[in-house]
Amino acid sequence: MQNKKINSTFKIQNLKCHSCAHTITIKLSDLEGIKDVVVNHTVCTVSFLYDDGTALTLAKILLYNLGYPMVGDKNAQLTKVKSFVSCAFGRINN
């Protein structure tokens, strides 16, 4: 029996451009239990399918560590700086 995946969309902070979206898409897609990642930098959302609560938790932690916390989560200055680094990484690899 195949696991049913859950589809969710989340608003995230610090998403500035297509390069940021590219980084998020690549990094989230590498996580086990996550697939079909779609990032919309215009409305600051990320959507993906996930297997279970563990995969969702790992995705949220990854987003935070990249500098893109969920709306409502802490967004300290260091987190904002991380988003600029992630954005630059996306520009280099895009």
Side-chain angles (χ1 to χ4, degrees):
M1 183 174 180
Q2 189 175 2
N3 290 344
K4 182 174 176 148
K5 296 205 180 275
I6 303 161
N7 186 13
S8 290
T9 299
F10 303 96
K11 299 262 311 165
I12 57 176
Q13 301 177 72
N14 306 328
L15 184 58
K16 295 169 278 311
C17 66
H18 179 72
S19 295
C20 298
H22 179 74
T23 297
I24 292 168
T25 301
I26 296 300
K27 296 293 186 178
L28 277 179
S29 296
D30 285 344
L31 286 179
E32 186 174 333
I34 303 290
K35 63 182 263 185
D36 297 338
V37 178
V38 176
V39 181
N40 185 326
H41 71 278
T42 306
V43 294
C44 300
T45 60
V46 59
S47 302
F48 51 86
L49 296 173
Y50 61 96
D51 287 339
D52 56 27
T54 301
L56 177 59
T57 298
L58 291 174
K60 287 181 177 182
I61 290 168
L62 176 70
L63 286 167
Y64 185 84
N65 288 338
L66 288 172
Y68 306 101
M70 302 285 178
V71 168
D73 288 348
K74 185 176 178 181
N75 191 16
Q77 193 65 32
L78 180 58
T79 307
K80 293 174 186 176
V81 170
K82 287 180 183 180
S83 74
F84 281 104
V85 173
S86 294
C87 180
F89 179 78
R91 288 179 188 270
I92 290 169
N93 292 306
N94 195 359

